[in-house]
Amino acid sequence: MINKYLTIYDTLVEQIKNGEIRPGTLLPSEHELTEQFQTSRETIRKALNLLSQNGYIQKVRGKGSIVIDVSKLDFPVSGLISFKELATKMGDKPKTTVHELSLITKPEYAIRQQLSLSAKDQVWKVIRTREIHGKKIILDKDFLNKKYVPSLTKEICEESIYEYLENDLNLSISFAKKEIIVEEPTAEDHELLDLEGFHNVVVIKSHVYLEDASLFQYTESRHRPDKFRFVDFARRQR
Amino acid sequence: MINKYLTIYDTLVEQIKNGEIRPGTLLPSEHELTEQFQTSRETIRKALNLLSQNGYIQKVRGKGSIVIDVSKLDFPVSGLISFKELATKMGDKPKTTVHELSLITKPEYAIRQQLSLSAKDQVWKVIRTREIHGKKIILDKDFLNKKYVPSLTKEICEESIYEYLENDLNLSISFAKKEIIVEEPTAEDHELLDLEGFHNVVVIKSHVYLEDASLFQYTESRHRPDKFRFVDFARRQR
DNA sequence: AAGTGGTCTAGACCACAAA
DNA sequence: TTGTGGTCTAGACCACTTC
């Protein structure tokens, strides 16, 4: 059997999405749910806390758990939509072009800083553009610590580096720190992207960490501003 | 006495920030912590889960809790830096100008939609610009449901609407759904902001909810792109 | 085999809301 | 007063890492 509290979570999410439990109404009380799912209250509370964190319910002491209207925004609860999702959403086959794939033996200072490298660490540098409806709208610059990724090919970069990491290398990404800013396009942006007169690019700088909290990738994803969208669900405080 | 698990959380955060517990090392085990803080393991685990959610540690089964290097980004763990923080960080007194403060008796369709209003609900409309170093760089357009905010003055809008809501009206914001996109400046942007040749504005659209999950505010915060910055800590999965 | 974190339990007491 | 969610406990068993 799989996790009990996750199956309860999934069940409730399903019921909320289906409309079996309507927005604005109350969930059954924790006591009732323990009977419904034949489990202890703490287990129910774990499931409910997940629902709360992911924006499905709002818990109110003394009252109950209010179901939030999740229909207002159509997206994964939080975060940047990935390139593949973006492309398929726009009804297009995603197309990736690899402009550079090289192994840097002596990384420059800025990169060593970003990846907290020691003097002898080597780094994969990958530069790719992403195309939707025939327009190159995203420029991805990836730097990966060779310590964790011994080999890398053009074919892998054209598909998905992440799938390669997870499926073949058995590396698992656990968290990322992202920063979003707007910059003037560089010469490289002008050369590789179809900017069509846009005067800014949206830049997402990410530090990506593995399960053991080791930093293994730094990425700059540079987007044409008209195609950029980021959503966030922010719960107040702890 | 206040919350036990929160005080434990605060203690550990303090130790991590001070450097008493160094990044890359392991926290004491949960068992050890129960003895250190004279409490049960589940209470310790509540504190540790908070640390994990807020990006201070990474828990690894069988190993322990790794302390993450929190110094790489200097900011509140996640989210948009507020105007006041931004201003004080740049060593300037924040200055707010109120351009409009009006009560709309018949809100247009778009606003009724955004705030899920019934036909007879009235809405406060507030338009303000924010100034740093003598430049108007943020345009805030707020729409507040009068049902929750009976009165509003120019003085309140020049200070902080939020402080008024929380301190005087005893209203508490619980969560917000935000969307970030980049737009061409409108005529209004050109009129009210010091755009200085910038061709885009970063727009943060927010739906703000109260503790009982009722939607009470819709806001568009329009930023000059060079002064915009957003940070995000994204943990994978649930 | 020993130590770590992950899940689950059954019960207790508390703070808050509504009737 | 009753019902709700919030905190806390002491213990159990499991899955994983390390030795």
Side-chain angles (χ1 to χ4, degrees):
Chain A
M1 219 237 284
I2 198 63
N3 256 346
K4 199 179 269 190
Y5 77 92
L6 284 181
T7 60
I8 296 173
Y9 169 80
D10 288 337
T11 306
L12 292 174
V13 166
E14 205 49 44
Q15 292 181 356
I16 291 173
K17 284 188 174 168
N18 283 349
E20 292 175 53
I21 309 180
R22 291 215 318 284
T25 65
L26 290 175
L27 234 51
S29 75
E30 296 182 353
H31 177 69
E32 282 177 291
L33 289 172
T34 60
E35 298 194 336
Q36 234 181 81
F37 289 98
Q38 281 299 304
T39 183
S40 72
R41 188 169 156 228
E42 285 292 348
T43 299
I44 292 295
R45 284 179 56 73
K46 257 193 195 171
L48 295 192
N49 283 334
L50 258 190
L51 286 169
S52 170
Q53 280 165 33
N54 292 344
Y56 288 103
I57 63 171
Q58 168 75 1
K59 308 184 87 181
V60 183
R61 187 195 296 231
K63 272 192 185 164
S65 297
I66 306 168
V67 179
I68 294 175
D69 188 356
V70 82
S71 67
K72 267 236 158 59
L73 297 174
D74 61 322
F75 61 90
V77 147
S78 182
L80 188 68
I81 225 166
S82 85
F83 171 66
K84 259 195 182 168
E85 292 171 284
L86 182 63
T88 48
K89 196 158 195 165
M90 301 187 75
D92 197 4
K93 273 215 167 42
K95 191 180 163 205
T96 298
T97 308
V98 179
H99 294 269
E100 180 178 343
L101 166 60
S102 58
L103 185 61
I104 305 179
T105 49
K106 294 202 192 312
E108 54 185 306
Y109 179 73
I111 298 303
R112 287 213 310 278
Q113 281 293 99
Q114 293 291 359
L115 280 173
S116 306
L117 296 178
S118 66
K120 61 178 187 1
D121 277 325
Q122 298 186 324
V123 173
W124 289 107
K125 178 180 182 183
V126 184
I127 297 191
R128 297 177 289 180
T129 51
R130 317 292 203 145
E131 204 168 302
I132 293 180
H133 293 327
K135 303 289 183 189
K136 299 197 168 92
I137 58 168
I138 303 178
L139 171 61
D140 277 347
K141 305 175 70 168
D142 296 277
F143 299 90
L144 299 98
N145 193 332
K146 183 162 186 292
K147 188 160 71 175
Y148 307 108
V149 190
S151 76
L152 203 55
T153 69
K154 189 156 173 284
E155 287 66 38
I156 292 169
C157 295
E158 274 166 355
E159 290 304 315
S160 167
I161 294 183
Y162 275 87
E163 281 173 20
Y164 171 67
L165 295 176
E166 302 238 314
N167 301 337
D168 299 339
L169 295 186
N170 232 346
L171 286 179
S172 211
I173 277 81
S174 69
F175 62 92
K177 293 175 179 177
K178 294 178 185 173
E179 181 182 0
I180 303 176
I181 55 175
V182 180
E183 290 184 355
E184 311 253 315
T186 63
E188 189 180 40
D189 293 331
H190 276 119
E191 184 194 334
L192 298 179
L193 291 177
D194 292 322
L195 281 178
E196 297 183 343
F198 285 99
H199 293 75
N200 291 108
V201 289
V202 181
V203 183
I204 300 123
K205 302 180 177 181
S206 307
H207 293 86
V208 185
Y209 296 77
L210 298 176
E211 276 185 325
D212 63 351
S214 56
L215 172 59
F216 93 112
Q217 181 188 16
Y218 172 73
T219 296
E220 274 190 33
S221 193
R222 308 175 70 84
H223 294 234
R224 212 172 79 175
D226 61 325
K227 301 296 185 189
F228 172 80
R229 177 165 175 265
F230 182 88
V231 289
D232 189 43
F233 176 77
R235 198 162 274 286
R236 191 97 183 288
Q237 296 260 39
R238 28 194 178 197
Chain B
M1 221 238 283
I2 200 64
N3 256 346
K4 198 178 270 191
Y5 77 92
L6 283 181
T7 61
I8 296 173
Y9 169 80
D10 288 336
T11 306
L12 293 173
V13 166
E14 205 51 42
Q15 293 182 356
I16 291 174
K17 284 189 174 167
N18 283 349
E20 292 176 53
I21 309 180
R22 291 215 317 286
T25 65
L26 290 175
L27 234 51
S29 74
E30 297 182 351
H31 177 67
E32 283 177 290
L33 289 172
T34 60
E35 298 193 338
Q36 232 179 82
F37 289 98
Q38 281 298 306
T39 183
S40 71
R41 190 170 155 227
E42 284 292 349
T43 299
I44 292 293
R45 286 180 55 72
K46 257 192 195 171
L48 295 192
N49 283 334
L50 258 190
L51 286 170
S52 169
Q53 281 165 34
N54 292 343
Y56 290 102
I57 63 171
Q58 169 74 2
K59 308 184 90 185
V60 182
R61 188 196 298 230
K63 273 193 185 162
S65 297
I66 305 167
V67 179
I68 295 174
D69 188 357
V70 83
S71 67
K72 267 234 159 54
L73 296 175
D74 62 323
F75 59 90
V77 146
S78 181
L80 188 69
I81 224 164
S82 84
F83 170 67
K84 259 195 182 168
E85 292 171 284
L86 183 63
T88 48
K89 194 159 198 166
M90 302 188 73
D92 197 4
K93 273 215 166 42
K95 191 180 163 203
T96 298
T97 309
V98 178
H99 295 269
E100 181 178 343
L101 166 59
S102 58
L103 185 62
I104 306 178
T105 48
K106 293 199 194 315
E108 55 185 305
Y109 179 73
I111 299 303
R112 287 213 310 279
Q113 281 292 98
Q114 292 291 359
L115 280 173
S116 306
L117 298 177
S118 64
K120 61 177 189 358
D121 277 326
Q122 297 186 325
V123 172
W124 290 106
K125 177 181 182 182
V126 184
I127 296 191
R128 296 178 290 179
T129 51
R130 317 292 203 145
E131 204 168 302
I132 294 180
H133 292 328
K135 304 289 183 188
K136 297 195 169 102
I137 58 168
I138 304 177
L139 171 61
D140 277 347
K141 305 174 71 168
D142 296 277
F143 299 89
L144 299 101
N145 193 332
K146 183 163 187 293
K147 188 159 72 176
Y148 306 106
V149 190
S151 76
L152 202 56
T153 69
K154 190 157 171 283
E155 287 67 39
I156 293 168
C157 295
E158 274 166 355
E159 290 305 313
S160 167
I161 294 182
Y162 275 86
E163 281 174 18
Y164 171 67
L165 296 176
E166 303 237 314
N167 301 337
D168 300 339
L169 295 187
N170 232 345
L171 287 178
S172 211
I173 279 80
S174 68
F175 62 93
K177 293 175 179 177
K178 293 179 185 172
E179 181 181 359
I180 302 177
I181 54 176
V182 179
E183 291 185 354
E184 311 254 314
T186 63
E188 189 181 41
D189 294 330
H190 276 120
E191 185 194 334
L192 297 180
L193 291 177
D194 293 322
L195 280 179
E196 296 182 344
F198 286 98
H199 293 76
N200 291 107
V201 288
V202 180
V203 184
I204 300 121
K205 301 180 177 181
S206 307
H207 293 86
V208 184
Y209 295 76
L210 298 176
E211 276 185 325
D212 63 350
S214 55
L215 171 60
F216 93 112
Q217 180 186 16
Y218 172 73
T219 295
E220 276 190 31
S221 192
R222 308 174 70 85
H223 294 232
R224 211 171 82 175
D226 61 325
K227 301 296 185 189
F228 172 80
R229 177 165 176 263
F230 183 88
V231 289
D232 189 42
F233 176 78
R235 200 161 272 286
R236 193 102 185 285
Q237 298 255 43
R238 30 196 175 195

